[in-house]
Amino acid sequence: MITITEAAASRIKSMKEEEGNPGLLLRVGVKGGGCSGLSYGLGFDANPNDDDVHFQQSGIDVIVDEESKPIVEGLLIDYKENMMGGGFTIDNPNAIANCGCGASFRTAQNAGNPENC
């Protein structure tokens, strides 16, 4: 469903250690907003919902809500370091348009709720 690279998995694991709670799950989701209509949400969650999809990828326990599932299908999450610091990058094969900064997108089936940037 979602691919997490070794670099991203390593960073996620170290972030979980910093949080001091090894039971945390990585929640991947989508919400309306941004220039193109949809924005990604990545964060830790200790309490999955009953309707969440739960799977493991690269040693990371991941949860996705049912509404986000078709939008994030095939997602690639990576982590890159450069001279300006580091950050996660997301490649979504379902996105047909992205905003200039890459923080928001839309798919053929879901345009989301675009906001002025």
Side-chain angles (χ1 to χ4, degrees):
M1 171 176 216
I2 293 174
T3 302
I4 300 173
T5 66
E6 275 189 46
S10 176
R11 182 63 183 127
I12 292 166
K13 288 173 184 174
S14 68
M15 290 171 73
K16 280 176 59 172
E17 287 177 17
E18 291 169 15
E19 290 289 323
N21 184 352
L24 291 173
L25 307 167
L26 177 66
R27 178 172 292 283
V28 179
V30 174
K31 61 182 178 177
C35 303
S36 294
L38 297 169
S39 297
Y40 298 107
L42 294 176
F44 293 124
D45 195 336
N47 303 305
N49 300 320
D50 291 338
D51 61 345
D52 284 338
V53 177
H54 183 190
F55 60 96
Q56 196 171 78
Q57 170 57 224
S58 300
I60 306 292
D61 286 308
V62 182
I63 51 177
V64 177
D65 64 89
E66 271 298 321
E67 192 174 321
S68 296
K69 182 182 171 192
I71 300 170
V72 301
E73 185 75 38
L75 209 68
L76 173 67
I77 301 174
D78 196 8
Y79 185 81
K80 301 193 186 241
E81 292 274 350
N82 62 36
M83 292 177 65
M84 299 293 287
F88 290 98
T89 62
I90 298 176
D91 181 27
N92 188 344
N94 303 307
I96 61 168
N98 295 299
C99 70
C101 66
S104 69
F105 66 101
R106 66 182 160 96
T107 68
Q109 289 77 32
N110 195 326
N113 301 314
E115 300 172 355
N116 293 333
C117 292

